[in-house]
Every structure is written in C-alpha cells, then in structure tokens.
Amino acid sequence: MASNNKNQHDPAIYFDILHPDLIIVDFTVPNAVNDNVELYCKTGVPFVMGTTSGDRDLLYKTVEEGKLYAVISPQMGKQVVAFLTAMDIMSKQFPRAFSGHTLEVLESHQSTKLHTSGTAKAISCFQKLGVSFDIDESFI
C-alpha cells in the first residue's frame, strides 16, 4: 500500500530523528565534493569540508542557499589557517609588498593524491603580494 505522505522518504527527517547531533567531516575525492555538499544541504547536516577542488563557487553558493553551517578549508592545521588568514589580510593592506620575490612551496603527499594541494592553492594569496608563484609547480 503506497503512502501519500510526501515526506516519507525525506532524508532530512531521517537525520533529524536518528542523528540529531550529526556533523560530517568530509575528506573525499575531488569529483565528489559538490555532490556531497548538495546532499548535506538537502538533509540539513552541518559539515567540515577538507577536500579541495570541485566547483568552489558552486560549493559556496550551495551552502549559502542551504543556510547551513559549514567549515570549508583546504587546510585544517590551526597554525596554517591563522598564517593564511594573516597573509590574506596583509595582501589587502599591502598589495604587491613582495614584488620581485619568488616563492617555492614543497609539500609531500601520498602518491595517489588526485589534485593540487589545497595549502598550495591557499598560499596563492602571496601572488597578491607580488610574489611570483606557480600553483601548478607546487604539486608533488
């Protein structure tokens, strides 16, 4: 017998009832980022996204429209996040302050890493300070 209840299979109800304090921490593969965020917003589950790549503009728009709490960061180390925030502020107050300098980022990742480092992408704020930095060359 079929039910006329439209909400019978609504995943948001499932999460609200069975997992009211659920928060998802997502370190998935890059091509799953946007689909996962869409699911989290549809179900109303707050999340932490530590995976870089995906369509970042769409990701932010989806979260904003979903009115959902989320932490989206390419780096989870608090010291690195503080440093990157300070560099972003500095790049706005002192644009091109390091013109003529170069920056080399060397990171080591697992051999199966599928995309450019999120930290390397975030450090690109140095470009606003005038530092020559090629994100594509930082991938190791």
Side-chain angles (χ1 to χ4, degrees):
M1 183 161 147
S3 170
N4 290 330
N5 184 351
K6 288 175 150 179
N7 293 324
Q8 180 180 4
H9 300 291
D10 184 348
I13 291 172
Y14 169 78
F15 286 117
D16 282 346
I17 294 170
L18 296 178
H19 305 287
D21 298 321
L22 179 68
I23 296 175
I24 296 199
V25 179
D26 189 328
F27 290 102
T28 191
V29 294
N31 62 354
V33 168
N34 292 98
D35 289 340
N36 287 359
V37 168
E38 190 174 321
L39 175 65
Y40 306 149
C41 289
K42 184 177 182 178
T43 57
V45 178
F47 67 94
V48 174
M49 177 60 69
T51 304
T52 54
S53 295
D55 181 335
R56 298 312 257 191
D57 291 334
L58 178 60
L59 184 150
Y60 295 131
K61 180 181 177 195
T62 303
V63 172
E64 188 174 313
E65 289 175 356
K67 296 179 177 27
L68 190 67
Y69 290 109
V71 174
I72 303 167
S73 178
Q75 177 43 261
M76 295 295 160
K78 68 179 180 177
Q79 294 86 353
V80 176
V81 172
F83 174 74
L84 294 174
T85 300
M87 290 299 97
D88 186 53
I89 292 168
M90 186 174 171
S91 73
K92 292 173 183 158
Q93 294 182 0
F94 305 103
R96 313 231 12 104
F98 296 138
S99 292
H101 291 71
T102 59
L103 174 67
E104 181 179 12
V105 177
L106 298 175
E107 290 186 283
S108 178
H109 292 279
Q110 70 276 16
S111 62
T112 57
K113 187 162 178 65
L114 300 175
H115 52 47
T116 302
S117 160
T119 304
K121 288 180 180 180
I123 290 176
S124 67
C125 65
F126 277 95
Q127 290 173 325
K128 296 175 191 168
L129 289 164
V131 176
S132 176
F133 175 63
D134 186 350
I135 293 171
D136 296 325
E137 290 182 12
S138 68
F139 184 51
I140 297 176

